[in-house]
Amino acid sequence: PSTIVEYRNIEKNYFDMLKPMQISKITIPMIQTAINEISFGHAAKTVKNAYGLLTATFSMFRPDFSIRVTLPKIHPQPLPVPDDEDFLRLLSLAKDTQLYIPILLAAVLSLRRSEICGLQWQDIDQHRFTLTVRRSIVRCPSATTSWTVSTPKTIQSGRSVLLPPFLLSLLLDMRPKKFNLTDFIFDFTPDTIT
């Protein structure tokens, strides 16, 4: 779903110089100019995604046209990792909030925020001390403000992980007395965790 939202964003915001033209009149230099314009002020990954949509469009509507342009190089940025002191400060600040357990799930089990929001009570096996990731909450393709239940991001993302006893206790302590196995554990969207 986020990919569809991204494609709509590309369609709306990029390739303005090419939009009014007939597809049969577009040349490689025109495409390179459009790519260069996008490259100025945008991440290389954004340019690559826009180029991918453009080439898919051409392969469908002008399959005999081979596009070869120069894309900016992608330079992966290292993710900032909090040190122990920062992490303990974060936990301390979150201690009595709804974010405390989600932060622990992300830190201890490496769950994505969309996976945390997709957890249901049926995903916890308290006898085996496991938590199973079966679904995630993602933005609806049709609206950037709505959310929907989806399968995990990749095949490997659907997984069972060992649940440390302290985390299992915290989860079971927050479980309501009356609940359905299909009730979501957390009643918020991934944006809440950001």
Side-chain angles (χ1 to χ4, degrees), residues 99-139:
L99 294 179
Y100 182 69
I101 295 173
I103 289 169
L104 286 172
L105 289 169
V108 175
L109 302 180
S110 299
L111 267 60
R112 296 179 175 98
R113 60 192 189 123
S114 61
E115 295 169 341
I116 292 167
C117 293
L119 292 173
Q120 295 176 349
W121 292 112
Q122 67 181 335
D123 300 327
I124 296 173
D125 184 334
Q126 63 189 44
H127 304 293
R128 291 192 174 124
F129 288 86
T130 60
L131 183 140
T132 302
V133 177
R134 294 185 172 100
R135 72 200 68 71
S136 58
I137 303 294
V138 296
R139 289 199 188 279

Side-chain angles (χ1 to χ4, degrees), residues 31-59:
I31 294 171
Q32 183 67 63
T33 300
I35 291 293
N36 293 347
E37 285 179 2
I38 297 169
S39 297
F40 185 72
H42 292 91
K45 185 174 185 323
T46 301
V47 178
K48 182 179 177 188
N49 290 347
Y51 175 72
L53 179 61
L54 183 74
T55 56
T57 303
F58 271 88
S59 70

Side-chain angles (χ1 to χ4, degrees):
S2 61
T3 305
I4 294 170
V5 171
E6 175 68 17
Y7 286 159
R8 289 195 176 127
N9 182 45
I10 291 167
E11 176 188 22
K12 181 179 170 186
N13 296 310
Y14 305 126
F15 300 117
D16 289 336
M17 68 175 279
L18 301 179
K19 287 178 186 174
M21 302 184 72
Q22 291 181 1
I23 198 166
S24 62
K25 304 286 186 200
I26 296 175
T27 65
I28 298 292
M30 291 174 180
I31 294 171
Q32 183 67 63
T33 300
I35 291 293
N36 293 347
E37 285 179 2
I38 297 169
S39 297
F40 185 72
H42 292 91
K45 185 174 185 323
T46 301
V47 178
K48 182 179 177 188
N49 290 347
Y51 175 72
L53 179 61
L54 183 74
T55 56
T57 303
F58 271 88
S59 70
M60 176 169 279
F61 296 105
R62 196 173 164 192
D64 57 329
F65 186 65
S66 177
I67 302 174
R68 294 197 198 291
V69 296
T70 303
L71 297 175
K73 293 199 176 356
I74 295 178
H75 302 287
Q77 300 296 319
L79 294 174
V81 178
D83 60 25
D84 291 349
E85 185 179 317
D86 287 339
F87 179 67
L88 291 174
R89 189 174 332 116
L90 174 65
L91 280 181
S92 173
L93 292 169
K95 179 66 176 155
D96 295 318
T97 72
Q98 67 177 354
L99 294 179
Y100 182 69
I101 295 173
I103 289 169
L104 286 172
L105 289 169
V108 175
L109 302 180
S110 299
L111 267 60
R112 296 179 175 98
R113 60 192 189 123
S114 61
E115 295 169 341
I116 292 167
C117 293
L119 292 173
Q120 295 176 349
W121 292 112
Q122 67 181 335
D123 300 327
I124 296 173
D125 184 334
Q126 63 189 44
H127 304 293
R128 291 192 174 124
F129 288 86
T130 60
L131 183 140
T132 302
V133 177
R134 294 185 172 100
R135 72 200 68 71
S136 58
I137 303 294
V138 296
R139 289 199 188 279
C140 288
S142 57
T144 57
T145 57
S146 300
W147 298 86
T148 188
V149 178
S150 179
T151 56
K153 190 171 183 175
T154 66
I155 292 172
Q156 295 82 6
S157 296
R159 63 202 183 277
S160 287
V161 293
L162 289 175
L163 195 55
F166 85 94
L167 204 41
L168 175 61
S169 281
L170 288 171
L171 286 163
L172 294 179
D173 287 348
M174 69 173 278
R175 187 169 63 186
K177 289 187 182 188
K178 290 190 176 190
F179 69 94
N180 292 313
L181 288 175
T182 56
D183 288 346
F184 286 95
I185 296 174
F186 303 103
D187 187 27
F188 46 78
T189 67
D191 280 349
T192 305
I193 301 174
T194 300

